Amino acid sequence: MFVPCGESVPDFTGFTLLMPAVSVGNVGQLAMDLIISTLNMSKIGYFYTDCLVPMVGNNPYATAEEDSTELTINAEVYSLPSRKLVALQLRSVFIKYKSKPFCEKLLSWVKSSSCARVIVLSSSHSSHRNDLQLRSTPFRYLLTPSMQKSVVTKIKSLNWEEMEKSPCIPQMNDSELCIRIPGGGITKALYDESCSKEIQMAILLKFVSEGDNIPDALGLVGYLNEWLQIIKPRNDGPAAPALPWKLPSSWKLLFGSALPPALF
């Protein structure tokens, strides 16, 4: 499934895998763009899979004309060995009935490559929140049992709120309670599969609505940064310290090109 760019397969032993879920507002994917661009992570390979809709495009992280013509595809892997981070970016949607096989193959690769843990960045429909969720922070986390053992103390110190269980059948209060993530794409499937395979996984998500989701992506990477300390805050004055996330060049066309002046 994983195909390296070079002749040898990189060693991911002890690495943390960061990846998005293709979910409402594409918030996880936008957040991954920010991480890859800010850390200037190097592309080391790609995933060869028939589970995603095929696509090809120009380099989304181009910084000069020379590298703007490099091609990118639907599932690519980036790495930052100095921080023991590896990132999987997904750029297209899943083919019908192919999301579960993808999750199984991905997590099998995680185990065979000896990654220490997986962190999934995701989102969920804000319109599906209950009264308690409406009155609290829009961010939630979810940990597999094997992950809880290793990070429970750190997570408690952050005062984060865990994803609540809700009726498995909506609108039926006497229904059995379970984890539901409406609009979360493969998030729940990844979580369930990781629990059964005893993989250390954390889900970080934000309740969002469709629209301009750049602020949601910035909020989600800031939420992740509280835990991993990927980058340090920048303090330019009396205002609250800001996180210097680098917006990728591809975001200039996130909503299409500007209106042609001739229109007016």
Side-chain angles (χ1 to χ4, degrees), residues 19-262:
M19 65 168 289
V22 183
S23 51
V24 56
N26 304 107
V27 175
Q29 293 157 290
L30 293 172
M32 288 304 306
D33 269 351
L34 288 168
I35 293 169
I36 294 168
S37 180
T38 301
L39 298 180
N40 195 26
M41 299 179 80
S42 301
K43 183 163 69 176
I44 58 169
Y46 61 91
F47 270 66
Y48 182 75
T49 174
D50 63 352
C51 300
L52 291 162
V53 172
M55 63 78 61
V56 65
N58 289 340
N59 181 8
Y61 312 118
T63 55
E65 189 173 344
E66 292 74 28
D67 63 354
S68 63
T69 56
E70 293 178 8
L71 295 181
T72 188
I73 60 172
N74 54 12
E76 294 186 322
V77 181
Y78 299 79
S79 179
L80 186 65
S82 62
R83 301 289 296 275
K84 287 213 162 190
L85 290 176
V86 58
L88 168 64
Q89 178 62 305
L90 304 177
R91 296 193 177 94
S92 68
V93 297
F94 288 94
I95 294 172
K96 196 172 184 179
Y97 306 124
K98 291 282 190 176
S99 57
K100 192 174 191 309
F102 178 85
C103 294
E104 292 171 350
K105 292 175 183 176
L106 171 67
L107 295 177
S108 293
W109 173 73
V110 168
K111 294 206 81 165
S112 64
S113 61
S114 300
C115 284
R117 58 187 179 180
V118 183
I119 299 177
V120 179
L121 303 181
S122 183
S123 52
S124 183
H125 282 298
S126 59
S127 58
H128 287 250
R129 286 177 293 175
N130 58 33
D131 290 344
L132 176 63
Q133 292 168 339
L134 284 167
R135 292 193 298 266
S136 61
T137 173
F139 297 99
R140 289 294 186 276
Y141 77 91
L142 194 58
L143 305 175
T144 59
S146 54
M147 186 68 152
Q148 286 178 335
K149 300 172 185 176
S150 60
V151 300
V152 63
T153 303
K154 176 63 177 179
I155 295 297
K156 281 185 176 179
S157 70
L158 295 172
N159 293 317
W160 284 0
E161 295 196 30
E162 189 172 8
M163 187 66 178
E164 300 89 351
K165 290 185 176 181
S166 59
C168 296
I169 304 175
Q171 312 305 324
M172 290 189 62
N173 293 331
D174 58 346
S175 171
E176 184 181 349
L177 297 179
C178 62
I179 298 293
R180 295 181 64 251
I181 307 176
I186 63 170
T187 307
K188 183 66 165 51
L190 279 172
Y191 175 77
D192 291 341
E193 191 69 19
S194 296
C195 288
S196 64
K197 290 183 180 294
E198 297 185 346
I199 290 175
Q200 293 193 37
M201 175 177 285
I203 311 285
L204 306 187
L205 65 83
K206 187 176 190 289
F207 295 116
V208 305
S209 299
E210 293 278 6
D212 180 359
N213 295 105
I214 290 177
D216 296 313
L218 288 165
L220 188 58
V221 289
Y223 186 60
L224 171 69
N225 201 62
E226 290 180 35
W227 174 18
L228 294 190
Q229 296 293 296
I230 295 174
I231 61 173
K232 301 297 182 183
R234 179 183 60 207
N235 203 341
D236 294 333
L243 293 174
W245 298 106
K246 178 184 175 185
L247 306 187
S249 56
S250 56
W251 282 22
K252 294 175 183 176
L253 300 175
L254 200 58
F255 298 101
S257 55
L259 294 173

